[in-house]
């Protein structure tokens, strides 16, 4: 499975931005997918995950109510809609895929390249 993240950019605080993670391979739809982010000088944090069917979703407390993760398996794509963005959301965002078993997000099987999101105040 190969993953490619799209959609980063510069946005003002309070604005919105959508990210997409395109996966290759026929088995992509069977993987759980997560979005992670890494701000300068900080560790990479988990932002949100979605299981293969979209029936199980997790959000970090810091983005709950503002970000929405979704997927379209027919298009092999997972999305992250980010609303009410804050300067502290500034980071490089990565998508990753894994088995979906408990704890999978601690060590995903596949990573995409990052896409940079900058939120200006």
């Amino acid at each position: 499975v190969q993953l490619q993240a799209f959609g980063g950019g510069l946005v003002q605080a309070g604005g919105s931005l959508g990210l997409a993670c395109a996966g290759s391979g026929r088995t992509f739809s069977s993987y759980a997918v997560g979005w992670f982010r890494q701000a300068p000088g900080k560790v990479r944090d988990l932002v949100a995950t979605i299981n293969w069917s979209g029936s199980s979703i997790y959000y970090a407390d810091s983005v709950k109510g503002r970000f929405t993760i979704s997927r379209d398996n027919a298009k092999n794509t997972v999305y992250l809609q980010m609303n009410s963005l804050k300067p502290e959301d500034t980071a490089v965002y990565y998508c990753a895929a894994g088995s979906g078993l408990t704890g999978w997000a601690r060590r995903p099987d596949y990573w995409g390249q990052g896409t940079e999101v900058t939120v200006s105040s």
Side-chain angles (χ1 to χ4, degrees):
V1 174
Q2 291 185 321
L3 306 175
Q4 193 166 6
F6 300 93
L10 173 64
V11 63
Q12 288 190 328
S16 298
L17 203 60
L19 305 181
C21 175
S24 65
R26 292 178 295 173
T27 61
F28 176 77
S29 60
S30 67
Y31 283 88
V33 175
W35 284 98
F36 298 74
R37 67 186 182 187
Q38 187 167 19
K42 295 190 177 182
V43 299
R44 190 176 298 184
D45 289 327
L46 177 62
V47 174
T49 64
I50 187 167
N51 73 335
W52 71 274
S53 67
S55 63
S56 180
I57 288 174
Y58 162 85
Y59 295 105
D61 287 343
S62 58
V63 306
K64 205 172 289 184
R66 300 188 298 122
F67 289 12
T68 302
I69 189 170
S70 61
R71 69 188 300 160
D72 184 340
N73 285 339
K75 296 182 179 179
N76 274 4
T77 304
V78 172
Y79 304 95
L80 185 69
Q81 179 63 38
M82 305 183 294
N83 299 328
S84 302
L85 282 161
K86 305 175 182 180
E88 50 263 44
D89 295 317
T90 295
V92 177
Y93 284 71
Y94 300 87
C95 60
S99 66
L101 297 176
T102 300
W104 75 267
R106 295 192 195 101
R107 191 173 292 184
D109 296 318
Y110 305 98
W111 286 94
Q113 93 293 355
T115 185
E116 191 165 359
V117 172
T118 303
V119 184
S120 63
S121 57

